[in-house]
Amino acid sequence: MRLLLTFLLLITSIGSQAAESILKIDSARLNQSINVKVYTPKSYDVVNKTTYPVIYLLDGNTHANHTVSNSAFLNSTGVMPELIVVAISTVERFTYFTPTLDKNSGRDSGKADLYAQFLKSELMPEINKNYRVSGFNMVAGHSLGGLFCAYILQSQPDMFDAYYLFSPSLWWDNEVLAKRTDFKSKAKSPFVYMSIANEQGKQRTAYQNYQAKLSGVYPNAIFQEFPNEDHMTTPLLSQIGAFRTQFADWLLSFDDVVNNPQRFITHFQTLNAKYGTTAQGQEWEIGQPVQHIVNELKDAKKALVASDVHLTMFPHSQWAYKSKADALALNGDRSAAITHMEKAVAIAKEHNDKYLEMLQASLTSLKEKQF
């Protein structure tokens, strides 16, 4: 039980720190310079072969902070992968997020295609060249940004693997997108998430009309309402909702690993094939099941299998050696158990680990225990 609590402590201690870098794109398509902030996750500079999905944030100045912190927190609890967050500085939104020229709006509009060209031909190649990307790309937009996402989904659906439309302004130009029937063919079906707050009037009417149309093209699209939010606050909960529903398959069930410890390996092999990632799971996701098998189930045979998985996947961890020691002790192999526990203590000493005293106590107890 004590080690179980230790793993829980490790979960809560994981920070949301992300390294920030700035790219300046001199865009020929937009005839202006665009500043882009790129946030790489905490592990980026630690595990230098890992690849990450990328989320492109429209209105990045507004939405970067909550997206970075929420994705990091959800990753720390095992429900989604780490991401590279690309926050694009705000442009003239009515100009570049709208798909048509609406003379009644009184604004320069209708240049969404130019902005799409900027993303596809200028920004995304730079991100792909300079960062370890997995090849799985998402785009998130709010309000007019959501309208732009809908336009890309309709005209170039293969440009992104996932589309997040938060309270999209689908009323634009007399609901022009809902009235179009020219959804382009797609090589693969992207993930689509669309949300709305407590909005009424033309915002809700357009949303409902487009929802009906979108459901016919993407029957697996996710639609979520936030009745206690308004148009400006909905991106926060919508972003969490989008992450949770898109990565609903990411969380590894504790019971699944207890029943079949090899699931810790095969689960992430399946996810990596889907998202292009190189994830192997977090140590607590195998460490906790091992301790449950040893201490609660007292299943000696399964404990050996589970501890082998733990040690194979985390060969430099003191907890993996403790798992193996506990499993060997349960099987009555005192000598081998002591050897592995000594290795756990040695690793903890090397890293001046704060749990060294606890591990030393476990080693002493193991040496004194009568079998």
Side-chain angles (χ1 to χ4, degrees), residues 12 14 77 169 282 290:
T12 59
I14 296 173
T77 60
S169 299
Q282 300 183 57
V290 172

Coordinates of all heavy atoms in Angstrom, one line a residue, residues 12 14 77 169 282 290:
T12 N 0.8 13.5 -8.8 CA 0.5 14.8 -8.4 C 1.6 15.8 -8.5 O 1.4 17.0 -8.6 CB -0.1 14.9 -7.0 OG1 0.8 14.4 -6.1 CG2 -1.4 14.0 -7.0
I14 N 3.8 15.9 -10.9 CA 4.2 16.2 -12.3 C 3.7 17.6 -12.7 O 2.5 18.0 -12.5 CB 3.5 15.2 -13.3 CG1 4.1 13.8 -13.0 CG2 3.8 15.6 -14.7 CD1 3.5 12.7 -13.8
T77 N -2.4 12.6 -15.8 CA -3.3 11.7 -15.2 C -3.6 10.5 -16.1 O -4.5 9.7 -15.9 CB -4.7 12.4 -14.9 OG1 -5.2 12.9 -16.0 CG2 -4.5 13.4 -13.8
S169 N -18.9 30.6 -35.5 CA -19.8 31.6 -36.0 C -20.3 31.2 -37.4 O -20.0 31.8 -38.4 CB -19.0 33.0 -36.1 OG -18.6 33.4 -34.9
Q282 N 3.1 5.7 -18.6 CA 3.7 6.2 -17.4 C 3.9 5.1 -16.4 O 3.1 4.2 -16.3 CB 2.9 7.4 -16.9 CG 2.8 8.5 -17.9 CD 2.0 9.7 -17.4 OE1 2.4 10.3 -16.4 NE2 1.0 10.1 -18.0
V290 N 1.1 -3.8 -10.3 CA 2.0 -4.8 -9.7 C 1.8 -4.9 -8.2 O 1.7 -6.0 -7.7 CB 3.5 -4.4 -10.0 CG1 4.4 -5.4 -9.3 CG2 3.8 -4.5 -11.5

